[in-house]
Amino acid sequence: MEKGHSIIHMGKILIVAAYAVYAAFWLRFIGHALVWWKVSQRLDNRSLARPHLKLKACALTVLDVVLLGRVFIVNTALWIVEWVFHASFLLVVLRHLRFFLDPVPDWVWWLQTPGLIAGYVLPFALLYILVIRLLTKLEKYAAPANLFLLGLVLAISSIGVVMNTLFTPDLVDVKLFIFGIVHFAPAAAPGSVLFLLHFCLVLVLLLFLPTHIFTAPLVMLEARKREQALRLVIHEK
Amino acid sequence: MKNKRSFTTELSARQVLELDACTQCGECLKHCPVQDVTGNPAVSPPEKIRMFREFIRATDGLKARLFGPAEADQKLLQDFAKAVYECTTCGACGQNCPVGIFTQRLWPMLRKEMVKRGLGPIGVQAETPAAIKNSGNPYNKPAGERYKPWFPEQVKVADRSDIAYYAGCTGAYESQPMVKGDVLVLNAIGEPFTMLPPEEEVCCGFPLFITGQHDLLKDLVTRLVKGYKAKGVKKLICSCPCCVNIMTRDWPAIYGEALPFKIRHITQHVSEAIRTGKLQLRNKLSESVIYHDPCYLSRGVGVIEEPREVLRSIPGITVLEFERHGLNSRCCGSGGAARKVFHENAIAMGRQTIDEAVAKKADRLILACPACYAKVNEAMQGHKNQIRITDIMELVSGLI
């Protein structure tokens, strides 16, 4: 009875926390967007005319984003694991959409098995990256923020694996809880401590979600345009 | 109040996005020449970006918008200023950035912000504007000595011509074999070329731009562009990569319109002259030479093949390559005006260049930048490894 009450209280706290984190995420995004907007309003006459957008630059940028092409160029050894990490993270996120959507679209069902496999691969990819970053001399520098995020995703994904294999929470309760938050109709939290921990860590991840997720593709496009235009700087006819 | 000024004032929209796009992965550190010689991650590219993000958050973040800008942490500002001025601005970090941040352009603009806050430039760099105002050059040397000590008597300069040659301050005052080689080769090509009188050939503005001191740029650039325009110039040739870089990338914006002439690096002009038969290199050189790509020539404006074409056209020569060459070349330590302040770093970087050239069993180290030429020669003094250092046009002029 005591345990049931505490989980109900915990559930309420988590619902409030989820909304707070959601609001904080958007406030943070808006804060950044305001800076981008403010600077974009200034007339930028400090450099040459911006290079034209070429199909080749766009195609290379797609490869940079989808296959992490620039990482491949600068660190081939780390590239495959970085790509596995990013791809499996994306698949795991997409697999989790079944908790947010009702009815669940077919394509989300199709992604369940790839997402499940990705869920097992993800912690190993992260462990490899952490070992390379911390325990070898291959890397000269490890930013605390970067390590924190890697450690956080490792913890979240490891708990996910444990829940999937050993201590599976009641998935109906999980869906009701998540769906309730998304649709502003809060429901009781599932009675699984592991799930609650998993959920809390995801909220922390949302708070610290790096801004490069939004800006890196644009910067990669600019980089490809610049590379294409380098021959025009002083080789123009 | 001064420190509550927005930290984005000097940045373009692209640069603000770039600051946000850094993943702090640290890949750039493997290519940073300052890291190679200091091993201090505190002055590394991701740390500089992390600090600058904090500054932007203090003055432009959502909290700052709601409750007013906060004052940036003074200690952090001072640490940042030192880090950004210790950088050679070679741009190797950006070239190897998994996201593609254009650091060769970002660092100078962050330096400009430091200047606006009274935290930059550092040391003797602060004397540059006064020196240029006084003498027209950053070395504060008399204009009368700009050409006289090295200009070959047999070379005739036209009053007006389609082609003009700009010697540049570092070449004229610190690397005279280089500029002497330039004019000898131009003379051998046989096309008339003109030059501005020594008192009119003022600084191109690069030492000011790179240290963030932009106030005099408009005046200098306008004087130079009008001077060449008055002489009917259609092609301005220069051998200094830093001058060439600012001329192509920034002069049009500073001048306010497209330049009335093209800019060409001397190796472009000479390689074309060799291709078209206007210049013939008759003397043989049975040596292995290794060519060092100046950062502002290779990564800056993409002149990579032309110096090699010139060298390969020398009969008997073998051209070797550094491990890192072309777009990935390693800074020799002279860049970013850091060599005058962080002297030991520059010497250590210069010695790395010498050591690799010696390890590759090169007979001669070929340079194509007056700052590299001056500093690598200095780095060789008292060093265990010795190699003959020659500027590319100094070499060519001796083989005509």
Side-chain angles (χ1 to χ4, degrees), chain B residues 15-51:
Chain B
Q15 288 169 328
V16 172
L17 284 178
E18 285 178 337
L19 289 169
D20 264 345
C22 174
T23 65
Q24 307 274 292
C25 68
E27 285 300 323
C28 49
L29 268 75
K30 295 175 195 163
H31 306 271
C32 173
V34 181
Q35 287 301 307
D36 280 349
V37 299
T38 65
N40 179 12
V43 295
S44 66
E47 275 302 298
K48 281 183 277 186
I49 288 179
R50 184 191 63 78
M51 287 191 263

Side-chain angles (χ1 to χ4, degrees), chain A residues 32-33 35-37 39-40 50 211-212 214-220 222, chain B residues 8 11-22 49 53 56 99 101 106:
Chain A
H32 279 269
V35 176
W36 301 330
W37 178 80
V39 178
S40 69
R50 294 166 70 81
T211 47
H212 76 251
F214 307 110
T215 53
L218 293 170
V219 174
M220 286 171 174
E222 284 296 317
Chain B
T8 64
L11 301 178
S12 67
R14 192 200 69 226
Q15 288 169 328
V16 172
L17 284 178
E18 285 178 337
L19 289 169
D20 264 345
C22 174
I49 288 179
R53 279 176 180 168
I56 290 180
V99 178
I101 299 172
L106 179 64

Side-chain angles (χ1 to χ4, degrees), chain A residues 5-221:
Chain A
H5 277 301
S6 62
I7 284 179
I8 288 167
H9 286 307
M10 185 69 178
K12 285 177 182 166
I13 293 168
L14 282 181
I15 288 163
V16 173
Y19 288 131
V21 166
Y22 189 64
F25 170 81
W26 280 109
L27 281 174
R28 184 165 162 248
F29 180 79
I30 290 166
H32 279 269
L34 282 173
V35 176
W36 301 330
W37 178 80
K38 182 180 134 188
V39 178
S40 69
Q41 296 306 297
R42 283 202 299 262
L43 182 64
D44 182 20
N45 62 352
R46 282 185 286 253
S47 59
L48 287 176
R50 294 166 70 81
H52 294 298
L53 190 61
K54 294 268 173 66
L55 193 62
K56 191 178 173 188
C58 293
L60 287 170
T61 305
V62 170
L63 290 178
D64 287 343
V65 174
V66 176
L67 297 177
L68 305 183
R70 301 190 78 91
V71 182
F72 177 76
I73 294 165
V74 300
N75 191 337
T76 312
L78 202 58
W79 165 76
I80 185 69
V81 190
E82 285 280 358
W83 184 82
V84 167
F85 156 56
H86 282 87
S88 53
F89 184 82
L90 179 66
L91 282 172
V92 168
V93 169
L94 293 176
R95 174 177 150 83
H96 279 67
L97 286 180
R98 73 189 195 278
F99 296 118
F100 293 80
L101 303 170
D102 193 44
V104 179
D106 284 350
W107 64 270
V108 175
W109 286 122
W110 298 335
L111 285 172
Q112 290 306 299
T113 305
L116 182 66
I117 297 166
Y120 286 103
V121 171
L122 182 57
F124 290 103
L126 284 163
L127 262 179
Y128 179 88
I129 295 168
L130 276 169
V131 167
I132 293 280
R133 289 232 190 282
L134 288 175
L135 303 180
T136 74
K137 290 186 175 171
L138 292 172
E139 304 294 317
K140 285 185 170 183
Y141 167 88
N146 197 298
L147 291 178
F148 168 72
L149 279 171
L150 288 174
L152 189 60
V153 180
L154 177 62
I156 293 168
S157 58
S158 302
I159 293 170
V161 169
V162 172
M163 282 196 293
N164 196 272
T165 50
L166 298 173
F167 304 104
T168 312
D170 186 324
L171 293 183
V172 175
D173 286 353
V174 170
K175 171 121 189 182
L176 287 172
F177 178 66
I178 302 289
F179 198 76
I181 290 174
V182 174
H183 291 86
F184 298 98
S192 160
V193 175
L194 276 178
F195 169 78
L196 296 178
L197 186 58
H198 185 74
F199 185 79
C200 288
L201 292 177
V202 171
L203 293 184
V204 176
L205 178 64
L206 261 180
L207 271 180
F208 290 94
L209 202 66
T211 47
H212 76 251
I213 288 174
F214 307 110
T215 53
L218 293 170
V219 174
M220 286 171 174
L221 177 62

